[in-house]
Amino acid sequence: MDQILNKVGSYWIGQKANKELDSVGDDLNSMSSSIGDGTKWLVNKIKGKMQKPLPELLKEHDIAVGIFPRDATHYEFDEKTGKLTVYVPQICEVGYKDSSVLRFATTVTGYLEKGKLADIEGIKTKVVIWVKVTSISTEGSKLYVTAGLKKTRSREAYEVLRDGVCVDKF
């Protein structure tokens, strides 16, 4: 009788443990769909889906690796649509080697393709006044920033990661 109860108990505990493990997996999946965009990377990390560093992703798409501030390390990239969302910890400005300045909101979105980041939301540049940047593209040693007008800049100035300087508003 003890052996039968022991086997039944072991079976029951094993089934209960499997249900609990399945429940944890379901909880992680539901948590990833209910958490705000900025923390999905953590859930993916827990699940074992690590992304490459942002500079590496930009380099693969022939974009200057220093476009975004150094502390903008968390991002989401949909390979099917090309949509890129980059999370910047706080609104900041980044000055580049060629004396140009870009201002970043806490969330920057755009569509990434070879040599171009288009339909950008969340970046401005100073052209007498702050103007919204709509696209950034590269061609050889040139970097083109489109903000109303297309401005050519040296790509070299954007190849180094730089720290952002905090500002009050975007």
Side-chain angles (χ1 to χ4, degrees):
M1 183 72 168
D2 284 338
Q3 287 179 342
I4 293 172
L5 286 176
N6 196 9
K7 285 187 179 188
V8 169
S10 295
Y11 175 77
W12 181 79
I13 289 173
Q15 293 290 32
K16 195 74 170 161
N18 283 338
K19 280 185 182 178
E20 288 300 317
L21 287 174
D22 288 343
S23 175
V24 168
D26 293 342
D27 288 346
L28 279 175
N29 286 333
S30 67
M31 188 167 71
S32 70
S33 56
S34 64
I35 293 178
D37 289 335
T39 55
K40 282 186 182 177
W41 66 270
L42 178 61
V43 174
N44 285 335
K45 184 175 181 179
I46 291 169
K47 287 179 168 181
K49 297 178 183 174
M50 283 305 300
Q51 290 181 317
K52 59 189 82 164
L54 181 59
E56 191 176 313
L57 177 72
L58 296 173
K59 188 174 186 175
E60 285 178 3
H61 287 82
D62 197 29
I63 300 288
V65 298
I67 288 289
F68 289 98
R70 184 186 322 270
D71 57 355
T73 56
H74 305 302
Y75 70 93
E76 292 176 22
F77 180 59
D78 184 338
E79 292 185 28
K80 294 176 196 157
T81 64
K83 183 171 184 179
L84 175 67
T85 304
V86 178
Y87 302 99
V88 180
Q90 54 197 0
I91 297 170
C92 66
E93 292 178 3
V94 178
Y96 298 92
K97 191 171 155 180
D98 65 350
S99 299
S100 61
V101 178
L102 293 178
R103 182 176 282 182
F104 295 86
T106 55
T107 304
V108 178
T109 60
Y111 290 89
L112 186 60
E113 54 191 69
K114 191 75 171 170
K116 186 174 186 179
L117 180 61
D119 297 331
I120 298 173
E121 293 288 333
I123 301 178
K124 291 182 180 179
T125 190
K126 186 96 178 210
V127 186
V128 181
I129 60 170
W130 287 102
V131 182
K132 178 183 167 191
V133 173
T134 55
S135 78
I136 297 172
S137 58
T138 59
E139 189 177 297
S141 65
K142 299 292 181 188
L143 183 120
Y144 300 97
V145 177
T146 305
L149 301 170
K150 191 173 190 177
K151 174 118 168 109
T152 305
R153 298 176 179 172
S154 168
R155 180 178 173 151
E156 179 188 8
Y158 295 84
E159 289 293 350
V160 176
L161 291 172
R162 300 180 185 279
D163 293 318
V165 176
C166 297
V167 293
D168 292 332
K169 64 179 183 170
F170 178 68

